[in-house]
Amino acid sequence: MKKILLIIYILIFTSCTSLNKKVWTKINKKEIILNLEPGDIIIKEKTLSPLGIFGHSAIMKTERIVFDYPKLGQTSYEIDINYWLEKNRDIIVLRYKKMNEKFREKLLENMEKFSKMNYKIVFNKRDNTEFYCSHFIWYIYYQTAKDLGFVLDIDSDKGLIVFPYDFIDSNELKIIY
């Protein structure tokens, strides 16, 4: 029981990153998001709900299609960006600074390769047997770089667990919206 409480304590307090509100983009459900690219990372702001306190992240599969690991008991799914957005919930869009066609093609290949795993919170981000939202994104970026012969860690704090907000301060990513 003490171990579970310690894990919950760590998760809650490590996820409470304070961000300057200026970097968040307010999205109206009727608004169409333009200029998104495959591989872009989308992060929803935190909410006051059990899993919402960590925020939520997904990755763009195409300019319009979001690839998402949504919640416990489900595998991944694809959805149009306009349906993925939530009214009155801000987002941040991040893009890998060194994105090129070779990297993007391998990233999309890895996205497909690891797309049907079960959703589960794992405590080692190098585990590729089960995923949660930000873990999946981190892993496919990590594996893509590894496949191409270099090391990449887009987790800003380099811990064993990666949260959606850990991408925001990554030196490897830039804020698009």
Side-chain angles (χ1 to χ4, degrees), residues 17 19 39-44 54 56-59 92-97 125 132-142 153-158 161-175:
T17 307
L19 293 173
D40 285 352
I41 300 167
I42 303 172
I43 302 171
K44 291 180 181 178
F54 304 109
H56 183 64
S57 58
I59 187 167
I92 286 179
V93 179
L94 305 170
R95 184 170 294 153
Y96 178 47
K97 292 177 181 178
K125 66 186 178 187
Y132 55 93
C133 64
S134 50
H135 172 224
F136 176 77
I137 294 166
W138 180 89
Y139 188 82
I140 62 167
Y141 267 89
Y142 165 80
D153 186 350
I154 61 172
D155 177 3
S156 64
D157 69 8
K158 312 293 188 229
I161 301 171
V162 60
F163 295 100
Y165 278 35
D166 290 343
F167 297 135
I168 296 169
D169 292 327
S170 172
N171 292 329
E172 304 293 338
L173 304 170
K174 61 183 173 184
I175 296 173

Side-chain angles (χ1 to χ4, degrees), residues 23-34:
V23 302
W24 292 94
T25 300
K26 188 57 119 181
I27 300 298
N28 180 316
K29 263 207 156 179
K30 294 178 184 175
E31 182 177 345
I32 297 173
I33 303 297
L34 301 175

Side-chain angles (χ1 to χ4, degrees), residues 85-138:
L85 297 171
E86 296 177 42
K87 191 174 184 178
N88 298 321
R89 193 164 177 192
D90 295 347
I91 66 165
I92 286 179
V93 179
L94 305 170
R95 184 170 294 153
Y96 178 47
K97 292 177 181 178
K98 298 177 184 175
M99 184 64 76
N100 58 40
E101 281 309 308
K102 184 177 180 180
F103 189 92
R104 180 176 284 119
E105 285 176 23
K106 182 53 100 170
L107 183 76
L108 292 172
E109 182 182 307
N110 282 328
M111 192 183 304
E112 190 65 33
K113 179 179 178 180
F114 296 102
S115 67
K116 296 303 175 198
M117 306 303 181
N118 289 324
Y119 183 108
K120 183 177 180 184
I121 305 296
V122 295
F123 297 98
N124 179 356
K125 66 186 178 187
R126 286 183 173 78
D127 180 345
N128 67 3
T129 59
E130 297 169 304
F131 292 109
Y132 55 93
C133 64
S134 50
H135 172 224
F136 176 77
I137 294 166
W138 180 89

